Amino acid sequence: DAIARMGGDPDKINPLSKVDLVIDHSVQVDRFASSGAFRLNTDLEFVRNKERYALLRWAQAAFDHFSVVPPGTGICHQVNLEYLATTVFAAGDLLFPDTVVGTDSHTTMINGLGVLGWGVGGIEAEAAMLGQPMSMLIPQVVGFKLHGSLHEGATATDLVLTVTELLRKKGVVGKFVEFFGQGLSSLSLPDRATVANMAPEYGATMGFFPVDDETLKYLAFSGRPDDVVARVRAYCKEQGLYRTSETPDPQFSDVLELDLATVEPSLAGPKRPQDRVPLGRAKSVFRKSLLDMIEKGAELSQPHVSRWLTEGGSPATPPVEMAHAEHLGKLVASVPVTQNHVTYQLGHGAVVIAAITSCTNTSNPAVMLGAGLLAKKAVERGLSVQPWVKTSLAPGSRVVTEYLQAVGLVPYLEALGFHLVGYGCTTCIGNSGPLPDHIADAITKGDLVVASVLSGNRNFEGRVNALARMNFLASPPLVVAYALAGELDIDLHNEPIGHDKNGQPVYLREIWPTAEEVRDTVRQAVKAEQFQREYAHVFDGDERWRKLAVPTGRRYAWDPSSTYVRLPPFFEDVPKEPAAIADIRDARVLLVVGDSVTTDHISPAGEIAKKSPAAKYLVEHGVKPDEFNSYGARRGNHEVMMRGTFANIRLRNQLVSVEGGWTLHFPDGEQLSIYDAAMKYQGEGVPTIVLAGAEYGTGSSRDWAAKGPRLLGVRAVIAKSFERIHRSNLVGMGVLPLEFSPGEDAASLGLTGRETFTIEGIAGGVSPGKQLTVKVSTGKSFVVKARIDTPNEVDYYKHGGILTYVLRQLLKS
């Protein structure tokens, strides 16, 4: 539309590279623990996303080189691993290594197949589709040497949580990581993909595994044609890209090493994926986290609390002074719940969500079948899941369902409530769906700190479910184990997970499948024909997909009354030449935040709160509260998304004393929603900035984390450091990322956020890494570094964003 308005040819807007779009983030877990869960959840998915899906069906016909994998098929990274990727790409008479950029940060999963790929924001990806190169600083490559093999009881999930912890401590943001060493020979291709998947969690641009015999075996087994496998073998050997046991160690910028035999069963949490917790310490970590959440350690030094933290005894014994009774009562608070004529106490640490979900683990037959074997043994011993646990199984592809059925494990998983709920990201992306009313009411009434345990890759605050304040990542078998236990306040090494039909205690070690059992089951269950059968009609979709009413025409017919898909304002009134860039003068601070603010804190995600600015907009447009749907489903409506920016319930803006999307408007000091304050500043002609700590923008590659602030009027973000994708997205939207000088931050400089800020040096022209001066209304000034890293990014910023730049280049051509 923009190029047509400016006198250009709309047909120039067409992908120049092969584009595969996999619909996988839209299914929500509304129905669970029932045989009809999959059908109901997918029915609701189509009702909620009808307009978006019609847009995508239109795009299939309107664009070349563009394919859509319909909903209900699988997660994009698993579909890529099992079907789309070729490892060596063929174009005419040219061969070259397969490369990919994806709009989901876990695109790195394909590194396990020897494919160079990583996540970018949708903004960069759209530019790449139109022929724009991906520019970056040449990265350091960190080698990660693996020795030996995993011991009994350890899984690929435990390995990746260990790797994530080590690499986060090392510091590999903006770097490539490559795995090497003899330990690679003991890792299956799915194990490697599990480790590669979580590169964003350890901060690397990617986590690469070289091509070797295991790669070829997987390509053949997953149904790639013989000529593709032969091409990979011949090309990689000829180019020196093929690893064998005799391959000498490559040279790297730096090297870490890990003996695989030292990996132990682990979780990660309660808030970050890099915070690994050995299973034996999970109970004490839960108790310490609970104390921190309830009362910030004020009583931590008291002997009775210390004993509760370290020894696991009741906090009420031995008897304590009355002065501490209220505090201790908070630690063991519970609420009675009646469910289907059964009454129980729901307390702190209750596991209210247990989800086998996410691309990280559902691509791996060993951990998925391991979960099924554990479920079988648990059912045979007479164990059951606790009644307050919302259970779900969301495989990454239909192949998973086939191999679970092939060895008869589905009935055992279903006996524990792990019914199929959909093929998509579900819980890991925040589509866990609502908790049952009686559970939600009890949590709210008792102000309970409850938990989710999921086999995902992300557990940031407010992401999984608004009511789950603790979230732990775990392997699929451990997800089943915690569903059986129903609580975090348990030592699964030494305490029984439940009791059998005769009332005898059952310990986790008694029902945990052995490595030999898992290997034998994988050999029996997983067959090459399963991949061939499931991917034979991958682009067809079901009857609902095929029957969608689809618009026609070269340009999309926007519906001005739609609350789902609206024409966004990013290209309104775009002149053919950009205006000169200028300094930012007398800006106000929209919010002040600390370290590790994630794109989940910034970008709208999950459910739309009933009293939020987004809810107010929807009600004004005739949408009933029970039809609000999620931010993810409404991401095609900028009006909803900008109102949901910085609206996360766990956001801590230091300008206010409450959590959530609130701020102060200056100079009057009025407390408003961040959206309302931003609109007030825009009405006054006042630019805004954000002050932040380290690792600003960590997490998912959400382009709305940059689009939203841009629409709110944010001109710059000054932070101690940025996560790679978000920094790039900010530049791509014309928002200036600036870094404090080493050793400085808002606190050390005495900045409160109540001042006005002028950023000088922009008008003279920006350049990569340019030093700019920030002058504060208090008379203070300090120097910041412009995190515009490449000459290409200089052009993007001058044009107000990457897509505006591409638009003007297409007009000129």
Side-chain angles (χ1 to χ4, degrees):
D1 285 345
I3 200 169
R5 282 197 304 269
M6 298 171 75
D9 180 5
D11 286 342
K12 284 189 175 182
I13 308 298
N14 196 79
L16 300 180
S17 300
K18 184 177 187 290
V19 176
D20 297 295
L21 188 146
V22 184
I23 302 173
D24 62 355
H25 278 48
S26 299
V27 63
Q28 177 174 294
V29 186
D30 288 279
R31 178 71 63 86
F32 66 98
S34 70
S35 58
F38 173 66
R39 179 71 188 184
L40 178 79
N41 291 331
T42 50
D43 282 346
L44 287 172
E45 178 186 4
F46 270 87
V47 170
R48 291 165 174 162
N49 296 281
K50 180 174 60 176
E51 291 182 52
R52 293 174 61 229
Y53 291 173
L55 170 65
L56 297 176
R57 285 285 310 275
W58 166 82
Q60 278 183 294
F63 295 118
D64 299 326
H65 315 303
F66 177 62
S67 63
V68 177
V69 176
T73 304
I75 297 173
C76 54
H77 316 306
Q78 196 158 340
V79 173
N80 194 18
L81 184 76
E82 295 176 353
Y83 178 73
L84 295 172
T86 58
T87 304
V88 172
F89 207 87
D93 58 356
L94 292 176
L95 298 179
F96 44 89
D98 189 0
T99 59
V100 61
V101 291
T103 60
D104 188 288
S105 45
H106 295 100
T107 299
T108 53
M109 183 169 171
I110 205 61
N111 300 160
L113 200 64
V115 175
L116 191 76
W118 58 85
V120 297
I123 303 158
E124 277 187 287
E126 289 155 13
M129 293 178 205
L130 296 171
Q132 190 65 19
M134 306 299 300
S135 71
M136 63 189 302
L137 297 176
I138 296 175
Q140 294 182 35
V141 183
V142 176
F144 199 119
K145 190 169 188 176
L146 299 174
H147 305 275
S149 58
L150 296 172
H151 70 70
E152 186 72 37
T155 68
T157 314
D158 304 316
L159 169 59
V160 73
L161 296 181
T162 303
V163 167
T164 299
E165 178 187 42
L166 293 172
L167 286 171
R168 268 293 173 185
K169 288 180 179 177
K170 180 72 175 176
V172 292
V173 173
K175 301 176 183 179
F176 287 6
V177 171
E178 182 171 338
F179 296 90
F180 71 108
Q182 294 301 311
L184 289 187
S185 300
S186 70
L187 294 180
S188 69
L189 199 292
D191 287 349
R192 300 176 189 186
T194 302
V195 174
N197 177 285
M198 285 187 71
E201 279 63 57
Y202 42 85
T205 302
M206 68 171 189
F208 187 78
F209 287 82
V211 174
D212 60 8
D213 289 349
E214 177 66 16
T215 316
L216 297 181
K217 283 197 303 184
Y218 184 85
L219 287 169
F221 189 80
S222 57
R224 268 70 169 202
D226 292 343
D227 61 327
V228 170
V229 179
R231 182 173 75 207
V232 173
R233 178 188 293 109
Y235 179 86
C236 290
K237 287 187 173 181
E238 185 68 22
Q239 293 285 16
L241 299 174
Y242 200 88
R243 172 199 165 268
T244 68
S245 56
E246 288 76 40
T247 299
D249 290 349
Q251 295 182 7
F252 296 102
S253 306
D254 202 352
V255 172
L256 283 82
E257 300 193 32
L258 175 66
D259 180 353
L260 295 173
T262 64
V263 173
E264 59 184 320
S266 302
L267 299 88
K271 296 179 182 179
R272 301 189 307 175
Q274 63 262 41
D275 297 331
R276 186 182 69 87
V277 181
L279 185 59
R281 290 188 53 238
K283 181 175 181 176
S284 62
V285 168
F286 155 69
R287 290 190 165 193
K288 173 64 168 61
S289 300
L290 176 63
L291 192 65
D292 289 344
M293 288 181 179
I294 289 178
E295 197 163 324
K296 294 299 177 185
E299 304 282 343
L300 186 59
S301 62
Q302 297 298 327
H304 52 277
V305 176
S306 298
R307 186 175 298 112
W308 180 73
L309 286 171
T310 57
E311 298 176 10
S314 167
T317 55
V320 297
E321 299 175 13
M322 289 299 295
H324 303 304
E326 181 182 353
H327 178 73
L328 293 171
K330 290 180 180 178
L331 293 174
V332 293
S334 64
V335 176
V337 178
T338 299
Q339 175 183 344
N340 298 331
H341 309 294
V342 175
T343 299
Y344 52 82
Q345 295 291 130
L346 193 71
H348 293 310
V351 175
V352 296
I353 293 175
I356 300 175
T357 181
S358 170
C359 46
T360 314
N361 290 288
T362 60
S363 63
N364 194 322
V367 292
M368 295 299 287
L369 290 165
L373 289 169
L374 190 143
K376 180 175 186 291
K377 294 186 177 192
V379 171
E380 289 171 345
R381 291 291 299 272
L383 301 182
S384 58
V385 167
Q386 297 301 328
W388 54 82
V389 185
K390 181 174 184 176
T391 47
S392 60
L393 171 65
S397 83
R398 289 177 173 269
V399 173
V400 178
T401 312
E402 280 219 29
Y403 64 63
L404 286 170
Q405 290 172 334
V407 284
L409 292 177
V410 170
Y412 297 102
L413 287 164
E414 291 184 345
L416 298 182
F418 287 95
H419 294 72
L420 175 69
V421 295
Y423 295 98
C425 296
T426 63
T427 302
C428 192
I429 194 61
N431 287 354
S432 58
L435 294 175
D437 289 343
H438 56 277
I439 301 295
D441 292 344
I443 295 168
T444 303
K445 179 180 178 181
D447 194 21
L448 299 178
V449 177
V450 296
S452 72
V453 179
L454 65 153
S455 65
N457 42 39
R458 294 222 161 115
N459 55 338
F460 301 129
E461 292 180 293
R463 178 185 177 98
V464 171
N465 187 285
L467 293 174
R469 292 178 61 188
M470 289 191 189
N471 302 282
F472 284 89
L473 307 181
S475 65
L478 273 181
V479 171
V480 176
Y482 273 99
L484 293 166
E487 61 175 326
L488 292 174
D489 196 21
I490 184 173
D491 178 357
L492 288 178
H493 278 327
N494 300 305
E495 297 178 48
I497 196 171
H499 292 80
D500 65 14
K501 303 166 187 174
N502 300 317
Q504 296 301 307
V506 178
Y507 292 88
L508 180 60
R509 59 180 175 270
E510 298 172 355
I511 59 173
W512 192 269
T514 66
E516 184 178 1
E517 285 178 295
V518 172
R519 283 193 297 269
D520 289 346
T521 306
V522 170
R523 280 194 292 267
Q524 295 172 37
V526 189
K527 306 295 181 184
E529 55 266 26
Q530 294 164 349
F531 294 88
Q532 295 162 2
R533 183 164 50 246
E534 290 299 344
Y535 285 108
H537 306 286
V538 67
F539 298 112
D540 294 350
D542 62 15
E543 185 179 6
R544 289 165 297 194
W545 176 257
R546 294 191 296 271
K547 286 188 173 181
L548 278 173
V550 182
T552 58
R554 291 169 63 214
R555 289 162 60 188
Y556 186 70
W558 301 96
D559 178 0
S561 65
S562 174
T563 58
Y564 276 98
V565 179
R566 295 180 70 87
L567 178 63
F570 301 118
F571 299 113
E572 287 181 358
D573 303 320
V574 176
K576 289 191 176 182
E577 293 296 332
I581 57 175
D583 293 341
I584 300 171
R585 297 201 167 274
D586 299 321
R588 286 289 183 180
V589 176
L590 193 58
L591 63 160
V592 182
V593 292
D595 296 342
S596 299
V597 168
T598 71
T599 51
D600 286 317
H601 289 113
I602 306 166
S603 177
E607 67 175 317
I608 298 172
K610 299 297 188 288
K611 295 184 180 180
S612 64
K616 181 181 177 182
Y617 164 85
L618 290 171
V619 169
E620 289 172 351
H621 285 75
V623 179
K624 298 175 183 177
D626 59 356
E627 296 174 353
F628 280 175
N629 209 337
S630 66
Y631 283 111
R634 292 191 183 271
R635 70 182 73 171
N637 184 345
H638 61 280
E639 298 286 359
V640 171
M641 298 300 279
M642 64 190 287
R643 286 165 171 79
T645 300
F646 295 120
N648 185 292
I649 61 168
R650 301 298 174 207
L651 180 71
R652 295 179 184 86
N653 179 8
Q654 295 169 17
L655 289 175
V656 292
S657 58
V658 294
E659 285 186 333
W662 300 95
T663 194
L664 298 180
H665 173 271
F666 296 108
D668 52 53
E670 182 184 6
Q671 181 168 306
L672 299 169
S673 72
I674 289 175
Y675 168 77
D676 287 334
M679 293 302 101
K680 194 169 181 179
Y681 281 131
Q682 286 196 30
E684 296 163 347
V686 176
T688 55
I689 64 171
V690 173
L691 299 179
E695 296 181 354
Y696 182 76
T698 189
S700 299
S701 58
R702 289 182 170 153
D703 50 3
W704 271 108
K707 289 178 179 176
R710 171 64 185 269
L711 291 178
L712 293 182
V714 173
R715 299 283 301 281
V717 178
I718 308 177
K720 290 176 69 174
S721 63
F722 292 89
E723 202 75 349
R724 174 185 62 87
I725 298 175
H726 185 60
R727 183 208 64 81
S728 179
N729 277 343
L730 288 172
V731 177
M733 287 308 300
V735 178
L736 187 59
L738 303 172
E739 277 188 0
F740 288 106
S741 298
E744 293 184 348
D745 59 16
S748 69
L749 293 168
L751 306 176
T752 66
R754 297 168 179 263
E755 311 89 346
T756 60
F757 293 76
T758 293
I759 304 170
E760 296 182 341
I762 302 171
V766 292
S767 57
K770 185 178 181 180
Q771 302 288 304
L772 304 176
T773 300
V774 182
K775 293 184 177 179
V776 190
S777 56
T778 58
K780 185 186 297 289
S781 66
F782 57 96
V783 174
V784 294
K785 176 183 177 182
R787 281 302 312 276
I788 291 178
D789 289 353
T790 69
N792 294 59
E793 290 185 345
V794 171
D795 288 333
Y796 304 156
Y797 183 70
K798 286 180 179 177
H799 284 261
I802 187 171
L803 293 178
T804 313
Y805 170 79
V806 172
L807 176 65
R808 289 183 174 126
Q809 299 308 110
L810 288 169
L811 278 168
K812 288 179 180 178
S813 68

